[in-house]
Each structure stands twice: as structure tokens, then as C-alpha cells.
Amino acid sequence: MCGIVGYIGNNDSKEILLKGLERLEYRGYDSAGVALLDEEGVHVFKEKGRIATLRKIVDKNTHAPVGIGHTRWATHGVPNRVNAHPHQSASGRFTLVHNGVIENYEQLKREYLPAHSFTSDTDTEVIVQLVEKFVNEGKSVEEAFRTALRALKGSYAIALLDNENKDVIYVAKNKSPLLVGVADDCNVVASDAMAMLQVTDQFVELMDQEMVIVTKEDITIKDLKGNLIQRRPFTAEIDASDIEKGTYPHYMLKEIDEQPFVIRRIIQEYQDENGNLKLDDSIREAMKDTDRIYIVACGTSYHAGLVGKQFIEKLSNIPVEVHIASEFVYNMPLLSQKPLFIFISQSGETADSRAVLVAVKKLGYRALTLTNVPGSTLSREADYTLPLYAGPEIAVASTKAYTAQMAVLAILAVDTARAKGISLDFDPIQELSIAANAMEVLCDSKEEMEKIAGEFLIHRNAFFLGRGLDFYVCLEGALKLKEISYIQAEGFAGGELKHGPIALIETDTPVIALATQAALNLNIRGNVKEVVARGANPCIISMKGLEHEGDRFVIPAVHELLTPLVSVVPLQLISYYAALHRGCDVDKPRNLAKSVTVE
Ligand code: M6R
């Protein structure tokens, strides 16, 4: 987590850094800071809270052509001013920002700096003190930086300033994402290209265990032995308007509304001019060749994986297991003879998923990543990638990436089925188009969703009930609600209630039930009756054709397999309005970050 930026050029760096940090706030937002380097030396401004708070304390009269900045999601040490980045060496000569986790920081302190008294509780501070120690021992700054990097275990994206050399920013990367942006009169550093799009769309990707010497004219990439590395920049294909809120009050609402267009874009991107599905032959072969698929993901992406399992098993007849990455990595199940791993990740940077990818690649297995960020770590390190085409997702709560993940999984399942000669009465293009239209109808039903939120989501808790595919959507609905409104929400399989959770039902407990699966319609309604008999306040959301009198909302009919893409939309919207009514910060919920780059 955390985001870092850097600027070196002819202009005043202050506004560029602050704007860049605002765009990186999705990576963490509990404290922030900048270091501005001008002729007088380095000026550090940092504070607990958001970039808006930092803005207020940055001295308007400091005009520095060089600077670095950081927005934090605390891992080591509480979010406060002292633990906020940048951190400085004992003499104040070196100033550093870091994204990642230094696993051996305590050992490094004991081994190299036993007498040093550290000012913060962070793992980061040891890096800057190490650099200074090695310089004091006679190494050049570059060699001292490299020596410190070689001693680190863990993940890092680092930018370092030297008060005695105002013409350079030293940067380095291992496991945490980092790009160097190149422009005519300046160069920049950022955890994500989005942060520096106002300066350039030309970026150089860094690989693990690389460092870069960034001056305003040049960038020099080296490995940790000092060997030169040549790499050309790529053009970041992000539309600047995609990362603006426009007239929307929140990114989350904008992203919910974008879902029908995302599905239509996926249809376009995965279809050739003859209307056939367009996937790499290598992916097709890998799918045909495997005897078992292991889907690995976290959070919302895991929920999409649960739905994906149903698509792949039902359509292409391949057994699928779905695993939470953070569990899988420490407790690998017995694997089949020819496993294929599918990683699902909006950001492509999730550390828990990456840890599994690294482990399975070491074992020689093939991996496919579904991600919204081609070029991200999980995409680069897998054998194959399927892009989600959802466009940048800024709100911490994932919405359009989730529906995009399910749509791409549906396409993958159908393509595999066809490649295996399985005949299907399911046309994914047609059915996804119908689903996109249905999503649009739901996006137009905001007033109704706001009413439902006002009627039902006014308690400390809420339950979501579903069976079959509806159960997986309930897990996602509950996650959405809890993460943005802080209402304790749980998704349950309808039939499982009576095995324990029903004990939680009291008078007026809100129970939101989904009824979109024909074969399970009567069963879920029976489960609703059970909770009503115990005082619950039920809100049934059913699908056209399956509705009963008294259902609170009926969604348009879509193919039964694709109901998760559609039935999740009302759950996203009611979560949004519940959060709004409770005065929560919808786009940046407490304690969370968009991109979880620590294990
Ligand atoms: O970027 P990823 O899809 O790998 O992220 C996985 C989870 O961290 C993410 O889905 C998280 O659960 C979201 N906050 C859900 O809204």
C-alpha cells in the first residue's frame, strides 16, 4: 500500500507532487508528506490525515524544482505525524519515502545501527539511516544506496533525496510498483502512472531489484550490482477524463453507472469482426490442457472467482477450486497433475495473490491473470493475461471491476467449451448484451435504491441471504455494505442459516434476500419465512419471472448464469446510499486502501 511520487525539473514541484498524491490516495490515506528540495536545502511537511490536510501545511512560499511525496496506509506504527513519510537520516542530509514492508528491519537495526535512536516506529526509517551510515563510512551515495538495498528483505518502492546533491532523485523497486515518467523538461517518479499523467504519458517500467538515478535530463537504470540496464518508455494509455469524477459526487457512483458500458466494451474487445470470441490461442490451449483450475484471489475478486467457478464447471466441464490467496500461500492443497492457476485482481498488485503466483511459478505451473491493469506485476509475472477493460477504478470499494471480472470469466468459459467441442445453448455476446441493458435499467433506479437503503439499512447489522449463484452475490453485497457503511453485514447461504446464524435474528433485523435462481426460488423463500417468523424485516430482490407478491424489487430477466452481474447492482447502490446516509466517506472508507500491496 502507500503511494509515492517524485519530481525533478524546472518547475515548482509542490503542486505537481500534491496533485499526484491526490491521485494516489486510493493506495492509502492515513497520513501524508512531501519533501521539497531547493537552494536552501530540504523542507519536509508531513501530517496525519489526507492530502487535503497536507495541502494546508505546505509552505506556499517554498518553490523547489525537486521533491518527493508519500501517502500512507500504516503497517508499522500508528498513523501520526512522526510515522508519516518522508523520513530523514540523523544528520538531515538524506530524506526518503517508501512504499512496502521491510521484513528484516529489526535485524538491520540490531546489526548495523545498534546505538542509533530511531525517531519513528516505522520499518522505513532504517533504510535512510543505513544510507547515511554507509556514506559516513566512505561510500559514494549511489553505492551506499545500493548497499542498503542489498541488505533489505521485503518489498519497497523508494525515492531518496540528498541535500548535498540537488540534481538527483535516487529510486529503487522490489515487489512494490514503481514507474519513472520521462518528459522534455523534467522526469518524475510514481507508484502509478495515473499520478503523473498531468506531466507525461511516457513511462519506464522498473523491475524488481532495480535502482534508477533520476536527474531532470536523464534516467539511468541499474541493477543492484551497478550494471547498466537499457529500457524504453511505454505510452500509458489512460484517458485523463477516466480518472476525474466529472459531475458525480463520488467515484463509486460513477463506477457503478459505468458498468453497462464496461460490459459492452468487453463484448467488443473479446469479439472479432466475424462475431467469434477473440482469445489468445495460448490461453485456449492452456485451458484445454488442464485437468483442474485453481482460482486465487482476494476480497471482491475472490467473490468473482466463486461465480467464475460455476461458469467454467457448468460450461466447459473443468473442475475448479477457488482459494483466498492469503490462505493458499501458507496451506497449499494437494494439486492435480496438470493444474492451471487463474489469478483475479483488479489492481494486479495485490501482495497476497502475488505471493501465490511466485510460489506456483517456482513449482513450474502455468498462470493466467485477469486484471484491470495490464502491465501490473500479476500480469507481467503470469504466462497469460486477460484484461478486464473496466477503465481506472478509483473508489476503494470495487464495483465495475467485479462485474468485468465475471463477464471475462464467462467469455473464457464459453471459449474453452467451444475449443473442447462442447455444444452450448449459451451465446455469451447476446446474453452479456442483455445483462448490460438490465444493468442500465438498475442504474436508472437510484431513487428506489435510496429508499430501500433508508428503510432497511438503518441498523448496526444486516444479513444477505441467497442460494446458488445468489449466495456468492450475497457475499459481495455484504462486503460492499460493511466496507463503506461500517454496518456489520454478513452473506449467508439460505440453507445454512438454521445451522447457527439464525440465532442472530431479532425483531426488525434487516434481511436482504436474492431470488434469481429458478430451481432455488421456493427454497430461498422458505428461508426468508424462517427469519420472518423470528421477527426479521425482509427485503426480497427477485428476478422478473420469479417474482412473488410482496417482493421489494424486481430486476429485469437475464440468463440465469449471468444473474450475478445484474443482481449485484442493487446491492452496490443500496450500500452506497446506506453509507451516504450514515455520513461515511464513500470513496475512502476508514482503514482500507485500494491496492493492498502488503501481505
Ligand atoms: O486489486 P485486487 O482485485 O487484487 O484487490 C483485492 C481486494 O483487495 C479488493 O477486491 C477489496 O476487497 C476491495 N476493497 C473490495 O471492494
Side-chain angles (χ1 to χ4, degrees), residues 436-561:
N437 294 345
M439 289 164 120
E440 210 160 341
V441 172
L442 295 172
C443 290
D444 288 343
S445 309
K446 292 194 185 69
E447 259 176 49
E448 196 52 25
M449 296 305 152
E450 186 163 10
K451 270 195 221 150
I452 295 178
E455 273 169 48
F456 291 92
L457 302 177
I458 46 176
H459 297 270
R460 268 302 294 138
N461 58 0
F463 297 105
F464 291 78
L465 274 197
R467 282 175 166 253
L469 283 170
D470 286 342
F471 167 48
Y472 305 134
V473 181
C474 284
L475 295 178
E476 174 58 12
L479 177 63
K480 266 326 56 108
L481 185 63
K482 70 180 100 169
E483 67 180 337
I484 61 169
S485 74
Y486 319 139
I487 292 172
Q488 168 103 41
E490 301 303 334
F492 291 114
E496 191 60 15
L497 260 196
K498 53 189 171 297
H499 300 291
I502 202 162
L504 296 168
I505 302 293
E506 295 172 346
T507 306
D508 283 341
T509 302
V511 175
I512 293 150
L514 290 182
T516 76
Q517 305 294 298
L520 299 164
N521 197 17
L522 296 181
N523 308 59
I524 189 67
R525 287 172 189 284
N527 299 139
V528 172
K529 286 209 174 80
E530 290 159 9
V531 294
V532 169
R534 285 150 184 93
N537 185 16
C539 168
I540 301 183
I541 298 177
S542 57
M543 189 171 70
K544 186 104 194 102
L546 300 179
E547 72 270 34
H548 283 197
E549 207 185 322
D551 288 357
R552 188 62 181 79
F553 192 81
V554 181
I555 64 173
V558 295
H559 192 288
E560 200 166 60
L561 264 185

Side-chain angles (χ1 to χ4, degrees), residues 298-301 344-347 350 396-398 479-480 483 596:
C298 307
T300 288
S301 298
I344 307 179
S345 175
Q346 188 283 133
S347 62
T350 301
V396 164
S398 183
L479 177 63
K480 266 326 56 108
E483 67 180 337
V596 186

Side-chain angles (χ1 to χ4, degrees), residues 5-11 13 16-17 65-67 169 185-189:
V5 287
Y7 173 91
I8 183 161
N10 297 322
N11 296 320
S13 60
I16 297 168
L17 296 173
V66 187
I169 305 177
D185 61 348
C186 67
N187 287 313
V188 292
V189 178

Side-chain angles (χ1 to χ4, degrees), residues 296-303 344-353 370-373 378 388 393 395-399 401-402 405 476 479-480 483-484 589 592-596:
V296 179
C298 307
T300 288
S301 298
Y302 168 74
H303 295 156
I344 307 179
S345 175
Q346 188 283 133
S347 62
E349 299 294 347
T350 301
D352 289 320
S353 299
L370 265 69
T371 182
N372 205 22
V373 189
L378 283 168
L388 299 176
E393 191 181 66
V396 164
S398 183
T399 52
Y402 169 71
Q405 287 163 347
E476 174 58 12
L479 177 63
K480 266 326 56 108
E483 67 180 337
I484 61 169
L592 296 178
K594 180 85 183 149
S595 185
V596 186

